[in-house]
Amino acid sequence: MRIETDPSGMTGHRRRHMTTTTQTRADLSLMPIAFATLAGLMLLFASGYAQASVLHGAAHDQRHAMAFPCH
Amino acid sequence: MSAKLLTSAVFAGVVAGLIAALLQFYFVIPTLLEGEFFESGERIHFVTDGSPQSERGSPGLGGDFGRHAMTVGFNIVTYIGFGFLLLAAMAMTEMKGFTTITARSGIIWGLGGFIAIQLAPAMGLPPVLPGTIGAEVEARQAWWLGTLIASGLGVWMIAFLRGPIALVGVVLLAAPQFIGAPQLDTYWGVAPPELSAQFVSYSLGTAAVGWTCLGFFAAWFWTRDNA
């Protein structure tokens, strides 16, 4: 069920009990989300996708364990 | 305070990565090392008389500390990466007013991540015990990447969209499986099928725990007061 929010993006319950937290989280802009997405993709590329042999050797067991296509 | 999104992903990734690594050392890695006996030819499953019997027994973890340290390290890197993507999705979903993230709902997010990122790709490309040869690695990587994107989007649409459009999520989840992963037309496995099957179920089971922990801790760190 979609939770109704007021224009500030806060629900009534949260406005009452979690003012501080809600404010910090409602401030969230697209920038940190975009940054998190980019950082996540870069880390996963290194750990799971890159075929460079040094990386591959070191990450070998973990790639097998996580079912990343390995070699 | 946007930095909290990023620090939460790192903290959650470290915790989930360590838990996953610990479980892997108990379940997955000994099985993997046993598989290497067959990869190297130290053990042979079908011996010359055609008998399918072969000795059972893992070498345990062995003494290769450096190798295992790398496994721990890459687990942490991987789970931090997943943590970034999971929290980006959580933040985006909350910002658009679809839901309110709590530590408890984080568990469901983690399980959703497991379905999209581990289970769906593993249906077409099961976790591989060393010693098995697969199709061209680039083709497998392409299918794998396409499958996680489609499955991630699909799981999200099923969770948060209402009405007929949610069915698009079902189509996105199903399509990669029906398209099918690249496969060879011959079997190459040298290890006993039981060992290979055990490896797959251990791998998926530990990943399920890892993802559940990741979802919980990502949401918990992010929604926690005065962090």
Side-chain angles (χ1 to χ4, degrees):
Chain A
M1 194 177 85
R2 185 175 162 138
I3 292 177
E4 292 303 320
T5 54
D6 69 18
S8 70
M10 302 181 239
T11 64
H13 171 79
R14 303 173 51 116
R15 216 174 27 234
R16 259 179 285 125
H17 298 291
M18 300 175 65
T19 318
T20 348
T21 329
T22 313
Q23 261 172 1
T24 59
R25 284 164 63 201
D27 283 347
L28 211 69
S29 66
L30 275 178
M31 270 309 282
I33 296 179
F35 182 83
T37 308
L38 198 67
L41 291 176
M42 279 164 56
L43 288 177
L44 290 175
F45 179 80
S47 77
Y49 214 80
Q51 289 293 323
S53 67
V54 178
L55 262 182
H56 181 274
H60 175 270
D61 291 5
Q62 183 261 346
R63 285 186 184 184
H64 273 277
M66 297 294 286
F68 293 158
C70 195
H71 48 70
Chain B
M1 231 224 347
S2 56
K4 193 174 175 189
L5 186 76
L6 308 178
T7 52
S8 302
V10 174
F11 288 151
V14 170
V15 175
L18 284 174
I19 293 171
L22 216 64
L23 290 171
Q24 281 175 15
F25 282 126
Y26 192 85
F27 295 104
V28 184
I29 304 293
T31 316
L32 183 147
L33 294 178
E34 189 172 351
E36 286 185 345
F37 280 152
F38 294 92
E39 184 183 31
S40 67
E42 193 175 328
R43 281 186 203 161
I44 297 168
H45 187 42
F46 278 91
V47 287
T48 39
D49 64 359
S51 161
Q53 290 175 32
S54 53
E55 196 189 332
R56 186 181 195 128
S58 158
L61 286 181
D64 197 343
F65 181 77
R67 175 178 179 173
H68 296 324
M70 284 298 179
T71 303
V72 178
F74 274 99
N75 262 299
I76 291 173
V77 171
T78 302
Y79 274 98
I80 291 175
F82 287 151
F84 274 129
L85 296 181
L86 191 64
L87 268 168
M90 285 176 171
M92 195 70 170
T93 307
E94 189 172 81
M95 204 167 79
K96 297 283 177 198
F98 283 104
T99 189
T100 304
I101 305 294
T102 63
R104 282 173 69 86
S105 74
I107 293 172
I108 310 289
W109 276 86
L111 280 171
F114 167 73
I115 292 169
I117 310 298
Q118 297 291 148
L119 191 60
M123 186 166 156
L125 292 174
V128 171
L129 190 68
T132 312
I133 295 176
E136 198 64 32
V137 71
E138 286 82 8
R140 279 184 291 139
Q141 284 189 324
W143 183 87
W144 176 75
L145 195 61
T147 301
L148 25 127
I149 292 167
S151 306
L153 212 58
V155 168
W156 188 91
M157 290 177 85
I158 292 167
F160 294 108
L161 298 185
R162 288 294 167 265
I165 191 152
L167 288 175
V168 177
V170 178
V171 173
L172 280 174
L173 258 179
Q177 307 300 340
F178 284 99
I179 291 168
Q183 307 285 1
L184 292 177
D185 45 16
T186 45
Y187 294 113
W188 284 88
V190 290
E194 297 96 317
L195 184 65
S196 200
Q198 185 73 78
F199 180 79
V200 169
S201 47
Y202 277 160
S203 162
L204 287 175
T206 52
V209 178
W211 270 97
T212 308
C213 294
L214 182 71
F216 173 79
F217 284 109
W220 185 76
F221 280 119
W222 191 45
T223 56
R224 199 161 67 108
D225 288 329
N226 58 46

